[in-house]
Amino acid sequence: MKKIALLISLLVCTTSFAQSFGKKVSKSELTPISELLADVKKFEKKEVTIKGMVTNVCSMRGCWMEFASDKEYQSLRIKVRDGDMVFPISAKGKIAYATGTLNHTTFSKDQLISFAQKRAEKTGKPADLSKITGPETYYQFIPVGVTIE
Amino acid sequence: MSKKKKNLFLLNRSLHRDIGYLSIGFTIIFALSGLALNHRDDWNPNYSMQRKVVKLSPEERSSEEVLSEAKNHFSLPEKMKGKFWVDPNQLKVFYPQDTTLIYLKDKSELHFEKITPRFLLRRFNGLHVNELKSYWIAASDIYSLCLLYLALSALFMVKGKYGIKERGGILTLIGLIIPAFFFFQII
């Protein structure tokens, strides 16, 4: 009986531990997400650590998460190559840290229209192409290490 | 058949049999998860999702009012993990047990989402895509070598009309032609 109790308490302790992926995250120097997105050139190719509440997780492959920014209505996607790290759905609502670099990709208007049409085809919902007015730049954070508390 | 050849033949059969037994567990995991992952565009192989939508009366609400109203419609855990306004129109509230509440202000809608990991498949798929790394890499490497041995040793298992020189050869050829057809479609 004692052994079972010990095993259960061990399991409970284990589940309450932080989950880590990749390299160790350095929490000593944090860069606010708003600062990172406000001056992209300054942080280009520079390794930084960000912190945020996880607001969304890829439910198919666990290959991305979204962090809430310190600025209202702002979030940043944390993206890894499929299988490099697999983020759990249970991370939603938890505080997480990620060390890595900011990456940006600009898509042309034609590319965005093509993406929207493909998405509409897949989901069966009509695409609102009027919202696509020109090229857009998307930002992603490419982590080398992530910790979910 | 010389005695040496016969011994090798018997050894091959014994190894094929024993390695076959060893591979059963791994094969079940990789085969089932392979099927599940192959069709991930059609379904979520890792999680089952429970979704409900409730239409609210169109009026201004604070996040606290949204939370209290949500409790009338859905069975929600007592304590929430956190909340976040995605934009001025969308509030997300996170609860334990992978439960999320989404409030769409402009549509006056409450969306309830509960995600439950599929007990076996979530783990099988995790193993298939090597989420664990560490020792699982070694274990699955050994399994790959076992499969390779099973495939090659099968060529020398049977003699006569069912062997590699007759029916076995034709079946082996079919098994090579099918992937070869797809092989050349990959650029």
Side-chain angles (χ1 to χ4, degrees):
Chain A
M1 194 64 196
K2 271 184 184 173
K3 277 182 186 170
I4 294 169
L6 186 68
L7 191 69
I8 291 169
S9 52
L10 258 174
L11 277 172
V12 171
C13 288
T14 314
T15 49
S16 62
F17 278 150
Q19 282 177 285
S20 292
F21 305 87
K23 288 184 182 170
K24 195 170 183 262
V25 172
S26 154
K27 295 180 194 169
S28 56
E29 206 179 315
L30 298 174
T31 305
I33 291 174
S34 60
E35 202 180 303
L36 191 68
L37 292 175
D39 198 348
V40 177
K41 277 195 175 167
K42 181 183 162 190
F43 293 103
E44 208 168 17
K45 292 176 185 168
K46 193 178 167 190
E47 198 166 282
V48 293
T49 300
I50 56 170
K51 175 190 174 187
M53 183 174 69
V54 179
T55 60
N56 212 352
V57 183
C58 167
S59 62
M60 294 299 276
R61 297 170 171 92
C63 63
W64 58 260
M65 288 196 288
E66 275 171 1
F67 277 22
S69 166
D70 49 300
K71 189 179 167 186
E72 203 177 27
Y73 311 138
Q74 189 180 54
S75 57
L76 178 62
R77 182 169 285 205
I78 317 300
K79 175 79 178 92
V80 292
R81 210 173 49 179
D82 279 8
D84 278 359
M85 299 176 194
V86 181
F87 304 125
I89 286 275
S90 57
K92 276 188 196 180
K94 289 183 180 171
I95 298 297
Y97 298 81
T99 300
T101 48
L102 188 68
N103 173 300
H104 61 92
T105 316
T106 303
F107 295 107
S108 68
K109 189 180 173 183
D110 289 344
Q111 280 177 309
L112 293 171
I113 289 173
S114 160
F115 293 155
Q117 284 168 337
K118 276 181 189 163
R119 203 180 308 122
E121 224 170 81
K122 203 175 168 185
T123 57
K125 290 176 186 168
D128 185 4
L129 302 180
S130 64
K131 281 184 181 169
I132 304 169
T133 52
E136 263 188 67
T137 302
Y138 288 90
Y139 296 97
Q140 289 187 139
F141 193 79
I142 312 297
V144 289
V146 170
T147 295
I148 302 165
E149 293 204 319
Chain B
M1 194 191 287
S2 69
K3 199 180 172 190
K4 197 179 168 189
K5 264 192 171 180
K6 196 178 177 188
N7 282 345
L8 271 175
F9 182 77
L10 289 175
L11 177 70
N12 186 39
R13 282 185 82 91
S14 306
L15 280 173
H16 188 97
R17 179 198 62 212
D18 291 345
I19 290 174
Y21 286 137
L22 267 177
S23 303
I24 289 174
F26 283 87
T27 306
I28 290 171
I29 290 173
F30 279 98
L32 288 179
S33 55
L35 274 172
L37 293 168
N38 246 0
H39 297 276
R40 60 183 160 196
D41 284 345
D42 306 315
W43 76 315
N44 191 318
N46 291 317
Y47 301 97
S48 66
M49 304 210 191
Q50 189 192 346
R51 285 195 170 108
K52 286 178 199 167
V53 182
V54 165
K55 193 92 183 159
L56 304 175
S57 57
E59 59 192 65
E60 275 288 314
R61 288 172 180 86
S62 66
S63 31
E64 281 67 34
E65 285 168 329
V66 171
L67 293 180
S68 108
E69 196 155 350
K71 281 182 182 163
N72 300 331
H73 299 285
F74 312 116
S75 154
L76 292 164
E78 203 49 47
K79 212 177 155 192
M80 67 169 175
K81 288 201 284 186
K83 61 180 180 193
F84 173 65
W85 280 96
V86 179
D87 56 48
N89 264 324
Q90 192 184 149
L91 170 71
K92 278 188 173 182
V93 187
F94 306 103
Y95 292 93
Q97 296 151 31
D98 300 331
T99 303
T100 307
L101 187 75
I102 300 164
Y103 170 57
L104 301 177
K105 197 173 166 186
D106 54 349
K107 291 181 180 169
S108 298
E109 280 178 3
L110 267 180
H111 292 240
F112 169 90
E113 281 182 6
K114 185 170 165 57
I115 294 177
T116 314
R118 299 183 196 278
F119 181 74
L120 277 180
L121 274 181
R122 168 73 195 97
R123 288 165 175 83
F124 282 5
N125 296 339
L127 292 174
H128 195 124
V129 300
N130 190 19
E131 277 180 33
L132 286 180
K133 311 262 192 276
S134 73
Y135 294 120
W136 179 247
I137 294 179
S140 47
D141 278 355
I142 292 168
Y143 171 61
S144 300
L145 293 174
C146 287
L147 274 187
L148 205 60
Y149 175 76
L150 289 176
L152 296 175
S153 62
L155 298 173
F156 311 103
M157 292 273 295
V158 183
K159 297 198 183 298
K161 67 172 183 173
Y162 296 115
I164 192 71
K165 285 179 185 164
E166 290 185 48
R167 190 170 130 144
I170 296 165
L171 291 173
T172 306
L173 202 63
I174 294 170
L176 287 170
I177 289 170
I178 294 171
F181 172 74
F182 294 100
F183 176 87
F184 289 107
Q185 290 185 28
I186 303 278
I187 303 161

